[in-house]
Amino acid sequence: MTKALLTILMIIGTLATQAQWECPSKLAAHLDPVFESPVLVGFETQLSSGILDGNSINTTMGFAGIDFTTKKHSLYFEGGIKGWWKYDLDDKTLYDQYRLGLREMFYQYRGELGNLTLGLQTSTFDDHYLLNERVAGAGYKLDLGRWKLSAYGGTVTKDFARNGIFCTTGFIYDLPTGQNQVLLGNNLGDKNLGGFTFAFYPGKDKKTKQTASSTEDEFETFENDEFSESNDEFETFESNEFETIESSSLQTSEVKSSLGIEIEKVGFAAYSEFGNWISNTFYHTGIFASIKLPGDIYFNPEALLQIEASNKGIIYLAKLEKSFTLKGGNRLSLNGAYYGFSEIDKNAMVLNSYSNILAGEVLRLDAANMPFYLLGAKLNFPSANLHVKLQNAGQINTEDLNEWDLEIGKKFKDRLHLNVKGGLIKGGDLEDRAFLGRLEARFYF
């Protein structure tokens, strides 16, 4: 049953330390009713502390939000306060700052012809690459069973972007790697986007029920692949990370060849970025698919033509995923992906700013860093609410940026999540390898 959402911003501060690089809040999934009324209220505190390359890195963040429910209308408002402290152990220098910020603030109408959402919202397409961002603007989703349309238009600034100054700890890592970084706008209108995806699911037979946007946040969808950089490291306790493909995909697909190949999804994407900071409007258009291969291996390809006056090229990617059910209900999941770009114009480069990738806990490789690869393995122990994950992100060019991450996570009941992570980063301008160690905690109340 769909929740309708009304929110009132509430700010809470904490006096501890935390490091979350995408502020992956699950607050909307942990709201409780106020005196059995339609109003839902919740709070979340995130704490962590760590060491990276001779620096102590610590942050704290608190979120608060309120929901209100009607049959077809929703309002949602979620925000928080963040403080961070970075101490250089060699120079004995402390860098600190505090900041208020918004995460979601939108109105949504849910009708027979889809969901229309207006305001600051998490915006995701149905393809594998193009968009996973917090956009101030309009979004529309229509699900007709076999056909699905997702469309967004709006603006993105550094204040609320997924890798911006509030929803990231990239600033606190700040390794001198020499890598290219996506430039985020300072004000509304500096960098805007618009586009849509149109997907066909051959195995679905009937229209599915529309769901509220607040539960479609990339940080709280429990069906995302944990190796997708949009995911929340704690979400993997609740489900199989490949559930999007194996459960909600087309298990009854009729498009199956004699070789055992099933077409789960095929779609078309169109996208553009424009604004005060973009001298030449550019466009991306192409196709994507999800295919089940023999042996329950899932293949997710995509190819996009980039069109701009002097920066034409082709973006392409391929992902492979495979999971195993082990003794006692435990799960082993394997994942690999490659992101590349082929020039049409000489010295062309990838131009889009808001992809669905941020590869690596520290490096956060993105479109500007292509080509690169991702490899990962994850072991889930559902009965113990425990997971262990190993992943590697590597750039394939002269900078040779590379990061290994090891993660162990534990969930206690439904209110406390703990996560321990270690990392090794090398390449670029780094003279020596940099080591990361971090302990995180998240509490809902």
Side-chain angles (χ1 to χ4, degrees):
M1 186 174 69
T2 306
K3 284 183 183 177
L5 305 170
L6 164 73
T7 21
I8 302 168
L9 175 64
M10 302 175 69
I11 303 300
I12 57 174
T14 54
L15 300 176
T17 56
Q18 187 241 350
Q20 289 290 349
W21 61 283
E22 288 179 340
C23 63
S25 169
K26 284 180 181 290
L27 184 57
H30 290 82
L31 300 178
D32 298 312
V34 177
F35 303 116
E36 299 183 356
S37 73
V39 178
L40 305 175
V41 180
F43 301 90
E44 174 186 348
T45 301
Q46 301 176 1
L47 314 169
S48 120
S49 182
I51 296 290
L52 174 64
D53 196 32
N55 294 278
S56 172
I57 51 175
N58 309 285
T59 72
T60 181
M61 181 178 287
F63 288 110
I66 299 180
D67 287 334
F68 177 77
T69 300
T70 65
K71 185 176 181 179
K72 291 187 175 182
H73 303 275
S74 303
L75 289 170
Y76 187 78
F77 201 120
E78 180 183 331
I81 184 171
K82 179 178 186 177
W84 62 89
W85 301 266
K86 177 180 177 181
Y87 185 73
D88 190 313
L89 300 175
D90 295 325
D91 296 340
K92 311 298 183 184
T93 305
L94 175 66
Y95 305 90
D96 64 307
Q97 195 170 5
Y98 304 87
R99 186 179 300 277
L100 297 174
L102 292 178
R103 201 173 169 277
E104 304 275 353
M105 184 175 64
F106 61 81
Y107 160 79
Q108 182 183 88
Y109 172 78
R110 296 179 305 282
E112 292 298 322
L113 294 178
N115 295 347
L116 174 65
T117 307
L118 303 174
L120 177 57
Q121 59 192 283
T122 298
S123 304
T124 58
F125 282 152
D126 295 316
D127 72 325
H128 312 301
Y129 169 78
L130 267 175
L131 182 65
N132 189 343
E133 190 52 87
R134 293 192 175 95
V135 177
Y140 176 73
K141 285 184 176 290
L142 176 64
D143 190 342
L144 298 176
R146 288 194 172 191
W147 300 93
K148 186 174 181 181
L149 172 69
S150 296
Y152 290 98
T155 188
V156 181
T157 77
K158 64 181 182 181
D159 295 306
F160 51 78
R162 186 163 64 110
N163 202 27
I165 58 177
F166 181 67
C167 287
T168 185
T169 56
F171 54 86
I172 211 169
Y173 292 146
D174 196 26
L175 283 174
T177 58
Q179 72 184 97
N180 296 323
Q181 298 283 351
V182 171
L183 183 63
L184 300 172
N186 286 333
N187 303 299
L188 299 177
D190 286 344
K191 299 187 75 173
N192 310 314
L193 63 87
F196 69 90
T197 56
F198 190 56
F200 175 56
Y201 296 77
K204 286 190 176 180
D205 297 323
K206 55 186 178 180
K207 181 178 178 179
T208 59
K209 189 174 181 180
Q210 298 292 322
T211 57
S213 288
S214 66
T215 60
E216 294 176 309
D217 186 343
E218 74 276 16
F219 301 122
E220 72 182 56
T221 50
F222 301 141
E223 298 171 341
N224 280 348
D225 165 16
E226 83 285 5
F227 302 118
S228 132
E229 292 64 52
S230 64
N231 77 303
D232 173 2
E233 68 276 16
F234 296 119
E235 79 190 10
T236 51
F237 300 123
E238 277 98 343
S239 73
N240 183 341
E241 62 280 10
F242 300 118
E243 192 171 20
T244 298
I245 298 174
E246 294 185 66
S247 296
S248 51
S249 277
L250 319 172
Q251 295 179 346
T252 61
S253 175
E254 299 172 358
V255 185
K256 184 173 181 179
S257 73
S258 59
L259 298 177
I261 298 175
E262 299 179 30
I263 299 176
E264 306 258 319
K265 173 175 67 175
V266 62
F268 172 79
Y271 176 81
S272 177
E273 288 185 21
F274 53 95
N276 299 330
W277 284 16
I278 299 176
S279 55
N280 294 314
T281 299
F282 58 88
Y283 305 89
H284 290 147
T285 182
I287 57 175
F288 58 91
S290 292
I291 302 169
K292 183 179 179 180
L293 302 176
D296 290 336
I297 298 173
Y298 292 87
F299 175 50
N300 299 311
E302 184 163 359
L304 298 165
L305 174 63
Q306 176 176 286
I307 304 172
E308 195 263 352
S310 59
N311 277 282
K312 290 184 286 294
I314 298 175
I315 299 168
Y316 57 93
L317 64 94
K319 298 181 179 180
L320 288 173
E321 301 169 343
K322 169 69 176 177
S323 62
F324 306 85
T325 300
L326 307 177
K327 184 178 180 180
N330 300 325
R331 299 188 300 267
L332 173 64
S333 305
L334 304 177
N335 175 284
Y338 179 84
Y339 297 86
F341 179 71
S342 293
E343 301 175 4
I344 295 178
D345 291 330
K346 186 177 180 180
N347 298 322
M349 63 185 68
V350 181
L351 296 177
N352 65 291
S353 303
Y354 312 113
S355 74
N356 192 30
I357 48 176
L358 285 175
E361 173 67 19
V362 176
L363 293 178
R364 302 176 317 283
L365 300 176
D366 208 343
N369 305 119
M370 289 182 181
F372 60 85
Y373 67 86
L374 293 172
L375 297 172
K378 179 168 165 241
L379 189 59
N380 266 1
F381 302 92
S383 61
N385 286 330
L386 178 73
H387 80 262
V388 179
K389 181 172 71 175
L390 176 68
Q391 60 183 357
N392 173 231
Q395 192 178 25
I396 307 172
N397 61 15
T398 54
E399 293 178 352
D400 196 28
L401 294 169
N402 194 284
E403 177 174 350
W404 285 90
D405 292 307
L406 175 65
E407 174 183 299
I408 301 173
K410 170 71 175 175
K411 176 182 172 184
F412 298 89
K413 297 191 180 294
D414 193 43
R415 297 294 180 176
L416 176 62
H417 300 169
L418 296 179
N419 194 69
V420 179
K421 183 170 291 187
L424 173 64
I425 304 95
K426 63 179 181 179
D429 297 337
L430 291 174
E431 296 181 0
D432 301 307
R433 295 179 178 180
F435 293 91
L436 166 72
R438 195 177 70 201
L439 172 65
E440 303 172 335
R442 184 180 303 155
F443 181 67
Y444 303 94
F445 58 97

